[in-house]
Amino acid sequence: MSDVFERYERQYCEISANLSKKCTAAASLDGERKKQKVSEIQTGLDEAESLIRKMDLEARSLQPNVKAVLLAKLREYKSDLNNLKSEVKRLVSGNLNAASRDELLESGMADALTASADQRSRLMMSTERVNQSTDRIKDSRRTMLETEELGVSILQDLSSQRQSLLHAHNTLHGVDDNVSKSKKVLTAMSRRMSRNKWIIVLFVGLPLGAKVKQPLVCPVCVVL
């Protein structure tokens, strides 16, 4: 429900009730006093009609589901305004004599005012029901927005957790790469140590082998 429409609606209901009272009062007046009262009523009718136009523009600018409800209410207000205009037309008809005026007041005018009062009562009841429905819609919308905000928060948390997992995954890949490189380095070092060991063995073993191959000479034989 539009707050602007509700404000116009309250203003119209107040003006309509005031105009109805003025019409009832003007019906019992004569001369200048009646003309003055009718002038006041005409001014009120212009203001009420202006509010009707504003409500119509506001209702047509809203969403389709809300607009349909408000336009239905607006038709009731337009009908109420037409009844008020009809009452004023009866008041300004100057050719009615006192008897006709009294008869009109007792019959047609009284019926019209009663019908208008009943209609306004129905309008107020309809307005109350619409306001209750609007409150329920607002509550549902508020709940929906809160749920949406919660969902957005959860998605943000999940996104943050995903980034953390990806970072940890990349870190593990880096550790695996470092371990593989370390294994390669250790393997190369092991091979190099093994090769160096065999080289040392060869360097030590060759002189010993050479000494073993030389013939043994007896010292006595040399002297002789």
Side-chain angles (χ1 to χ4, degrees):
M1 178 69 71
S2 169
D3 293 335
V4 176
F5 187 93
E6 289 179 353
R7 185 172 68 251
Y8 292 150
E9 184 179 32
R10 287 193 298 269
Q11 293 175 1
Y12 175 82
C13 289
E14 292 175 359
I15 292 174
S16 176
N18 190 29
L19 289 176
S20 180
K21 293 178 181 178
K22 288 183 178 181
C23 287
T24 303
S28 60
L29 298 177
D30 293 319
E32 291 298 324
R33 294 175 61 190
K34 182 177 180 179
K35 289 181 180 180
Q36 183 179 359
K37 185 64 67 175
V38 170
S39 178
E40 293 177 2
I41 294 172
Q42 290 286 3
T43 302
L45 286 175
D46 293 339
E47 187 176 355
E49 193 164 12
S50 175
L51 288 171
I52 289 289
R53 288 195 296 269
K54 290 178 180 179
M55 283 191 286
D56 185 75
L57 290 174
E58 178 65 19
R60 295 182 186 279
S61 67
L62 300 176
Q63 297 178 353
N65 56 339
V66 179
K67 179 173 70 175
V69 175
L70 296 184
L71 289 179
K73 293 176 61 177
L74 193 58
R75 285 193 291 271
E76 295 288 338
Y77 292 138
K78 288 179 180 180
S79 177
D80 177 69
L81 181 62
N82 289 332
N83 288 337
L84 290 172
K85 289 180 179 180
S86 298
E87 293 174 16
V88 174
K89 287 181 181 180
R90 295 189 189 98
L91 289 173
V92 298
S93 57
N95 295 329
L96 292 175
N97 54 29
S100 299
R101 187 170 62 249
D102 291 341
E103 183 181 357
L104 179 62
L105 289 173
E106 292 175 359
S107 58
M109 183 67 72
D111 293 340
L113 290 175
T114 301
S116 181
D118 291 340
Q119 188 175 35
R120 274 189 288 275
S121 178
R122 290 194 302 271
L123 288 174
M124 294 302 294
M125 292 177 63
S126 299
T127 300
E128 183 65 23
R129 287 195 296 269
V130 171
N131 289 337
Q132 291 176 357
S133 300
T134 301
D135 291 338
R136 288 194 294 271
I137 292 173
K138 287 181 179 179
D139 291 339
S140 300
R141 184 178 181 184
R142 189 181 303 109
T143 302
M144 180 185 68
L145 290 175
E146 291 176 353
T147 304
E148 183 178 355
E149 290 176 358
L150 179 61
V152 171
S153 177
I154 292 173
L155 288 176
Q156 290 175 347
D157 291 340
L158 290 175
S159 177
S160 177
Q161 293 176 8
R162 181 175 180 272
Q163 293 298 326
S164 298
L165 290 173
L166 289 175
H167 179 70
H169 183 69
N170 293 333
T171 302
L172 288 174
H173 271 296
V175 172
D176 289 341
D177 293 341
N178 291 333
V179 170
S180 298
K181 292 179 180 178
S182 298
K183 288 176 65 177
K184 291 179 179 179
V185 171
L186 290 174
T187 302
M189 290 177 63
S190 177
R191 290 176 180 174
R192 190 177 295 111
M193 290 176 64
S194 179
R195 185 173 61 251
N196 291 338
K197 182 177 69 175
W198 284 109
I199 291 173
I200 291 171
V201 169
L202 289 174
F203 274 107
V204 173
L206 287 175
L208 291 176
K211 290 181 180 181
V212 171
K213 291 180 180 180
Q214 291 180 1
L216 296 175
V217 178
C218 178
V220 178
C221 294
V222 173
V223 172
L224 291 177

